[in-house]
């Protein structure tokens, strides 16, 4: 296990010794945090280091409780790091080392490797261009969910990414990390089986999330000789190009898709063939697999057992992808003996709202270490996107050096916040006590990023589902904002404090908007035109104010996302397609909104130019219906909205890349402006909060699979009602 120790020498210098480069960085950061009040995060650093280093008289010793500390989800490379350059990657890898991460994904540039392998097999440039997706959608092309969407890639993309990957691997290995390289899961260009190997056995993937047949992928049968030929060539080419390997390969075959057969022997044969391919290419290969596929109803216990037991013990490591809310290890007897990592998912689609499950993380890790001592070999974070709620990730990774000691989560948070704001007197702690109570303790409730019930990102319809059913009491957010604004008047205005003020203030406004929407609909139904206009204006004003708040935070700007994509383009056409990738992923997510708003973000620029305009179109249409005395027509409005959304995806409007405005003054104005609205909505907040806690407790009781069955029954009831209505109408 990794370990570090540090102490001051006779000259006052701090001496840190450790078992690895990562442990050395962790030891240094431990000293900087707990002796120097230093803070490093995605959303602002606090580096006010004293001229004289604090003395450590008694040697500090820490040993990791976890052999592995894993980082990233196969989706993170698309939702967050799709357009990173080396400067951004270098910062991220250094942050990984400080956090103690020693098992990170290293997926960048693999399309360049695939290009070499497939060209050696005889595929052409046009055939590869048809296969590779756009840069914002690599995660799902790599997992076989879709082919080609968002392409073609810029001419120099693959070579630039390959050079970037070389730098990434060098930096990771310099710390002693074990980079996880991609393995082969069977998804190949259609031309490979249509033209070059027509005798090969394959299946067409199922249609994924409504994408049409043209985007379906070809999945080689793992028992066909071509599977091993392609897989071995891919791994060996990586070893050749990267001049080494660390022997760990990721491979996810059935991400949100099901195998063509439910015969346990067939299922067993697939996993055995995947591992055999890795072993043939690298005799020391270890297969690292996301266990997400087992959440599908297809995977009954006998099929999971057949899949897992086909691979020798010690050669397969499972990522229990969302242990804090969906622990699969509990229903698989600890994966039938295979080692696994307890992982925190934290968010879907890189959503940006305030959210956390702090107590579940503490309790989950510590109890699993005890109850699955022989199988749990580490911890990890597997967010679909990053750059939000950094407090959750610092807590998770610090758990590795906390062992099973009793942790007071409030005491831990107090230390974190004091460092983050350089708040030596603790004036900001009262604000965070309120947030930590429930906003960051969403027991039984998954990530708060869903657009459902959120006016900002919810696609507007007359039948939009309300209430929100929040897991926290919005009054806590209001009070927390007031207290943090007061505290900020005596604190240095750092990027971290500016970011947190923007996030809390925007959440405060967002929590008010469902009430405004409800009053607008009520006025429409009562045919009160003046109230409709008043509430429509109030809705637009709220969204505008949210945008202004977030515009003051450098980490909440749409412009940065778009510009980071465009810089990889060599000409106007390439820049345009890269911008389309960036825009489409966070909005329509597909040609016709197949996964619409899944990757929603509360970003300045996105709210004003997209979300706000959708709601403006909705309120305008209802006002038109009122004036013309015509009923609301859902088909007409949906068509109108889709026209706007597709047009926005094709636009090239520039957005700010630097923050604008004084966040403290803006927050003070927001509090004064919305206080009366807040007071009039307390009864709504109490209702939504009560429903949310009730729902959370129910989900915690029935578990994820129970929730799936519950939704399935509800869909069947709705289908039955629709059928009965159709018969009645006939």
């Amino acid at each position: 296990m990794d370990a570090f120790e540090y102490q001051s020498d006779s000259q006052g210098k701090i001496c840190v010794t450790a078992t690895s480069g990562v442990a050395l960085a962790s030891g240094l950061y431990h000293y900087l945090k707990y002796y120097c009040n230093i803070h490093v995060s995605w959303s602002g650093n606090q580096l006010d280091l004293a001229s004289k280093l604090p003395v450590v008289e008694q040697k500090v010793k820490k040993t990791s409780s976890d052999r592995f500390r894993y980082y990233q989800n196969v989706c993170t490379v698309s939702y967050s790091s799709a357009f990173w350059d080396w400067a951004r990657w270098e910062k991220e890898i250094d942050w990984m080392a400080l956090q103690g991460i020693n098992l990170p994904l290293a997926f960048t540039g693999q399309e360049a490797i695939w290009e070499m392998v497939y060209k050696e097999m005889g595929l052409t440039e046009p055939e590869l261009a048809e296969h590779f997706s756009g840069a914002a959608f690599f995660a799902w092309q790599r997992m076989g969910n879709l082919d080609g969407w968002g392409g073609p890639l810029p001419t120099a993309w693959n070579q630039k990414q390959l050079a970037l990957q070389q730098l990434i691997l060098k930096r990771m290995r310099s710390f002693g990390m074990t980079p996880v390289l991609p393995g082969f899961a069977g998804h190949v260009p259609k031309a490979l089986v249509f033209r070059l190997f027509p005798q090969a056995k394959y299946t067409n993937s199922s249609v994924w999330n409504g994408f049409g047949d043209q985007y379906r992928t070809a999945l080689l049968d793992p028992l066909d000789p071509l599977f091993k030929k392609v897989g071995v060539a891919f791994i060996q080419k990586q070893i050749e190009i990267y001049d080494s390997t660390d022997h760990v390969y990721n491979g996810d075959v059935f991400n949100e898709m099901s195998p063509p057969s439910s015969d346990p022997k067939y299922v067993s044969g697939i996993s055995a063939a995947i591992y055999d391919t890795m072993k043939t290419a690298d005799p020391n290969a270890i297969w690292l697999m996301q266990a997400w596929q087992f959440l599908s109803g297809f995977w009954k216990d006998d099929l999971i057992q057949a899949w897992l037991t086909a691979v020798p013990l010690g050669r397969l490591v499972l990522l229990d992808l969302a242990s804090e809310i969906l622990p699969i290890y509990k229903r698989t007897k600890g994966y039938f003996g295979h080692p696994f990592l307890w992982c925190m998912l934290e968010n879907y689609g890189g959503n940006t709202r305030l959210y956390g499950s702090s107590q579940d993380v503490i309790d989950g890790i510590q109890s699993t270490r005890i109850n699955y001592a022989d199988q749990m070999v580490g911890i990890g974070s597997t967010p679909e996107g990053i750059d939000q709620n950094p407090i959750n990730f610092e807590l998770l990774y610090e758990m590795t050096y906390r062992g099973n000691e009793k942790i007071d989560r409030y005491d831990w948070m107090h230390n974190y916040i004091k460092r983050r704001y350089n708040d030596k007197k603790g004036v900001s702690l009262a604000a965070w006590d309120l947030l930590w109570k429930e906003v960051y303790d969403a027991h039984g409730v998954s990530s708060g990023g869903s657009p459902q019930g959120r006016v900002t990102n919810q696609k507007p319809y007359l039948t939009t589902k309300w209430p929100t059913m929040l897991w926290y009491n919005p009054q806590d957010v209001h009070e927390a904002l007031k207290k943090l604004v007061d505290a900020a008047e005596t604190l240095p205005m750092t990027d971290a404090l500016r970011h947190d003020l923007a996030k809390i203030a925007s959440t405060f406004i967002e929590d008010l908007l469902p009430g405004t929407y409800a009053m607008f609909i009520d006025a429409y139904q009562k045919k009160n035109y003046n109230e409709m206009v008043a509430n429509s204006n109030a809705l637009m004003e709220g969204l505008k104010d949210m945008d202004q708040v977030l515009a003051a935070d450098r980490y909440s700007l749409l412009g940065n996302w778009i510009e980071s994509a465009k810089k990889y383009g060599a000409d106007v056409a390439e820049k345009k397609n890269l911008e389309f990738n960036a825009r489409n992923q966070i909005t329509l997510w597909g040609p016709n909104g197949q996964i619409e708003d899944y990757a929603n973000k509360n970003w300045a620029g996105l709210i004003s130019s997209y979300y706000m305009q959708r709601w403006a179109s909705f309120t305008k249409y209802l006002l038109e219906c009122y004036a013309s005395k015509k009923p609301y027509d859902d088909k007409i409005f949906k068509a109108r909205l889709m026209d706007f959304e597709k047009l926005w995806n094709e636009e090239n409007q520039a957005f700010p890349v630097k923050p604008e405005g004084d966040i403290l003054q803006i927050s003070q104005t927001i509090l004064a402006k919305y206080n009366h609205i807040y007071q009039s909505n307390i009864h709504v907040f109490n209702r939504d909060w009560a429903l949310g806690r009730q729902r959370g407790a129910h989900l915690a009781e029935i578990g994820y699979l129970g929730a799936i069955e519950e939704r399935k029954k509800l869909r069947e009831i709705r289908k039955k009602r629709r059928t009965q209505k159709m018969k009645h109408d006939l």
Side-chain angles (χ1 to χ4, degrees):
M1 293 293 187
D2 266 343
F4 64 76
E5 59 183 48
Y6 59 83
Q7 188 178 19
S8 298
D9 65 11
S10 57
Q11 280 80 41
K13 294 180 180 179
I14 299 299
C15 298
V16 185
T17 58
T19 55
S20 70
V22 167
L24 191 68
S26 298
L28 174 62
Y29 192 42
H30 191 276
Y31 168 74
L32 290 173
K33 287 197 300 184
Y34 287 102
Y35 283 85
C36 305
N37 204 42
I38 294 300
H39 173 78
V40 178
S41 79
W42 297 315
S43 53
N45 303 325
Q46 197 287 105
L47 305 176
D48 185 16
L49 191 63
S51 58
K52 185 178 180 180
L53 293 178
V55 174
V56 182
E57 296 180 352
Q58 188 73 30
K59 183 180 290 185
V60 175
K61 295 181 179 181
K62 296 288 181 180
T63 300
S64 172
S65 299
D66 309 292
R67 181 181 176 187
F68 298 112
R69 286 86 64 195
Y70 175 79
Y71 178 53
Q72 288 205 354
N73 182 306
V74 294
C75 296
T76 318
V77 298
S78 290
Y79 284 133
S80 293
S81 59
F83 308 113
W84 282 3
D85 57 15
W86 170 237
R88 181 63 184 86
W89 263 112
E90 187 176 30
K91 287 181 181 179
E92 191 71 10
I93 296 168
D94 290 353
W95 174 86
M96 293 181 201
L98 293 175
Q99 298 296 333
I101 293 162
N102 64 356
L103 189 65
L105 275 188
F107 269 29
T108 302
Q110 63 179 278
E111 283 67 35
I113 304 293
W114 278 120
E115 182 180 28
M116 297 176 201
V117 170
Y118 286 140
K119 282 186 174 179
E120 289 174 3
M121 289 184 169
L123 287 181
T124 65
E125 288 276 3
E127 288 169 334
L128 289 175
E130 183 181 300
H131 170 64
F132 290 136
S133 70
F137 305 100
F138 277 158
W140 303 278
Q141 177 242 301
R142 293 166 179 172
M143 289 186 288
N145 298 121
L146 51 80
D147 257 10
W149 172 246
L153 291 172
T155 306
W157 176 272
N158 283 347
Q159 291 310 308
K160 287 181 179 179
Q161 293 294 298
L162 184 59
L164 183 57
Q165 173 75 337
Q166 297 280 21
L167 294 172
I168 291 169
L169 292 175
K170 182 179 179 180
R171 187 69 169 176
M172 287 179 173
R173 288 168 176 162
S174 72
F175 282 111
M177 297 177 186
T178 300
V180 179
L181 295 176
F184 177 57
H187 315 107
V188 296
K190 290 186 276 287
L192 191 74
V193 291
F194 289 179
R195 183 175 67 81
L196 295 180
F197 299 94
Q199 303 306 315
K201 189 176 180 181
Y202 73 95
T203 57
N204 287 316
S205 66
S206 55
V207 172
W208 181 68
N209 276 315
F211 278 84
D213 286 342
Q214 71 189 93
Y215 301 109
R216 293 171 69 183
T217 63
L219 174 61
L220 281 176
D221 188 323
L223 304 179
D224 190 280
L226 184 59
F227 185 99
K228 178 178 281 191
K229 180 179 180 179
V230 174
V232 169
F234 177 60
I235 291 177
Q236 290 182 340
K237 181 63 71 174
Q238 290 185 92
I239 296 173
E240 173 194 336
I241 297 300
Y242 303 145
D243 198 32
S244 65
T245 179
D246 297 274
H247 310 295
V248 183
Y249 306 94
N250 170 261
D252 298 302
V253 188
F254 298 111
N255 176 65
E256 298 177 0
M257 298 186 294
S258 299
S261 170
S262 58
D263 182 350
K265 289 184 179 179
Y266 176 81
V267 167
S268 178
I270 293 176
S271 59
I274 293 169
Y275 170 67
D276 184 60
T277 298
M278 292 181 181
K279 186 181 70 172
T280 301
D282 177 359
N284 297 314
I286 293 176
W287 179 9
L288 184 75
M289 174 191 157
Q290 294 190 156
W292 190 254
Q293 72 181 45
F294 298 141
L295 289 174
S296 164
F298 172 89
W299 291 94
K300 308 302 181 186
D301 289 352
D302 62 328
L303 295 181
I304 296 176
Q305 184 172 7
W307 179 276
L308 295 175
T309 54
V311 182
L313 288 177
R315 296 288 99 189
L316 173 64
V317 178
L318 284 301
L319 298 174
D320 197 78
L321 214 63
S323 304
E324 81 275 32
I325 51 173
L326 312 171
I328 302 173
Y329 61 86
K330 291 184 178 180
R331 61 174 282 237
T332 57
K333 301 177 182 177
Y335 293 107
F336 299 99
H338 283 287
F340 71 89
L341 278 69
W342 193 104
C343 297
M344 174 185 75
L345 180 65
E346 208 269 346
N347 76 79
Y348 297 99
N351 308 134
T352 57
R353 286 193 181 83
L354 303 178
Y355 170 83
S357 297
S358 55
Q359 194 64 56
D360 287 343
V361 168
I362 294 169
D363 294 344
I365 290 174
Q366 293 188 334
S367 64
T368 307
R369 279 189 188 135
I370 295 170
N371 297 326
Y372 296 86
D374 293 333
Q375 288 87 38
M376 180 180 162
V377 295
I379 61 174
S381 66
T382 51
E384 290 195 346
I386 61 170
D387 294 325
Q388 79 288 79
N389 298 309
I391 193 170
N392 296 332
F393 297 88
E394 186 124 346
L395 172 62
L396 174 91
Y397 287 116
E398 192 168 312
M399 290 295 295
T400 195
Y401 287 107
R402 290 289 189 126
N404 281 338
E405 68 180 70
K406 183 174 176 56
I407 298 173
D408 182 319
R409 73 184 187 98
Y410 278 90
D411 181 62
W412 182 91
M413 178 271 291
H414 287 171
N415 282 306
Y416 175 91
I417 294 301
K418 285 181 178 180
R419 295 193 302 269
R420 183 165 171 81
Y421 301 152
N422 198 14
D423 181 8
K424 295 180 176 63
K425 295 182 179 180
V427 295
S428 61
L429 299 184
W432 271 89
D433 280 345
L434 290 163
L435 297 174
W436 206 236
K437 182 170 67 174
E438 287 182 336
V439 174
Y440 285 94
D441 189 28
H443 178 63
V445 180
S446 62
S447 169
S450 168
Q452 185 61 56
R454 297 286 195 172
V455 166
T456 322
N457 323 110
Q458 175 75 63
K459 194 164 185 174
Y461 295 129
L462 190 62
T463 55
T464 293
K465 296 177 182 177
W466 306 101
T468 305
M469 295 194 299
L470 297 171
W471 70 91
Y472 61 87
N473 189 339
Q475 296 179 62
D476 290 340
V477 176
H478 177 231
E479 290 300 317
L481 178 60
K482 289 197 296 184
K483 291 181 182 300
L484 192 57
V485 165
D486 289 343
E489 293 182 347
T490 64
L491 293 172
M493 184 51 71
T494 62
D495 280 347
L497 179 56
R498 187 178 291 108
H499 172 76
D500 292 354
L501 279 169
K503 298 304 295 183
I504 298 167
S506 61
T507 300
F508 166 59
I509 301 172
E510 187 174 45
D511 286 343
L512 293 171
L513 296 182
T516 308
Y517 163 84
M519 288 187 287
F520 174 78
I521 296 300
D522 184 63
Y524 169 74
Q525 292 172 340
K526 292 179 178 177
K527 297 181 171 50
N528 188 327
Y529 182 80
N530 290 335
E531 284 297 312
M532 286 179 67
V533 172
N535 285 293
S536 172
N537 292 338
L539 194 59
M540 296 306 106
E541 188 75 8
L543 292 169
K544 181 181 176 182
D545 286 340
M546 278 188 70
D547 196 83
Q548 182 191 21
V549 166
L550 294 166
D553 171 35
R554 69 174 63 253
Y555 305 105
S556 300
L557 304 178
L558 171 62
N560 288 330
W561 172 247
I562 290 179
E563 294 304 317
S564 68
K566 288 168 62 179
K567 71 183 179 186
Y568 274 104
D571 55 35
V572 173
E574 288 186 353
K575 289 179 183 293
K576 181 175 177 58
N577 190 53
L578 286 163
E579 181 167 359
F580 172 81
N581 268 251
R583 286 171 175 257
N584 184 264
Q585 186 212 84
I586 59 176
T587 55
L588 283 176
W589 212 132
N592 295 296
Q594 277 78 356
I595 319 179
E596 186 164 22
D597 296 323
Y598 179 82
N600 67 80
K601 308 285 191 294
N602 279 358
W603 283 345
L606 185 59
I607 291 177
S608 59
S609 72
Y610 191 76
Y611 299 136
M612 182 175 167
Q613 301 310 315
R614 293 199 306 191
W615 281 99
S617 178
F618 173 72
T619 58
K620 179 182 178 182
Y621 179 60
L622 279 188
L623 286 166
E624 289 174 359
C625 290
Y626 174 87
S628 63
K629 298 182 179 179
K630 292 181 179 179
Y632 170 87
D633 189 318
D634 202 45
K635 290 183 178 179
I636 291 176
F637 178 67
K638 283 183 177 180
R640 180 185 293 186
L641 207 55
M642 183 59 71
D643 287 343
F644 161 74
E645 291 169 329
K646 287 186 174 182
L647 180 64
W648 189 90
N649 273 244
E650 298 287 351
E651 288 177 348
N652 57 3
Q653 172 191 353
F655 294 93
V657 294
K658 294 182 179 180
E660 300 174 352
D662 183 323
I663 188 58
L664 183 55
Q665 290 183 2
I666 294 171
S667 299
Q668 290 168 336
T669 301
I670 292 301
L671 281 169
K673 180 176 181 177
Y674 286 95
N675 186 61
H676 71 287
I677 300 176
Y678 166 79
Q679 295 297 335
S680 65
N681 275 271
I682 286 180
H683 68 288
V684 177
F685 293 153
N686 288 333
R687 179 200 64 193
D688 292 352
W689 172 53
L691 287 170
R693 297 306 287 181
Q694 182 181 352
R695 178 62 176 164
H698 176 63
L699 290 175
E701 181 180 348
I702 65 175
Y704 181 76
L705 294 179
I708 291 176
E709 290 300 316
E710 196 175 78
R711 286 197 294 269
K712 188 184 297 183
K713 290 179 181 178
L714 183 60
R715 284 196 297 269
E716 290 173 354
I717 291 171
R718 288 173 177 167
K719 184 178 179 180
K720 184 177 180 180
R721 287 175 179 172
R722 285 195 300 270
T723 303
Q724 291 174 340
K725 185 178 184 302
M726 290 174 64
K727 289 180 178 179
H728 179 269
D729 293 343
L730 291 173

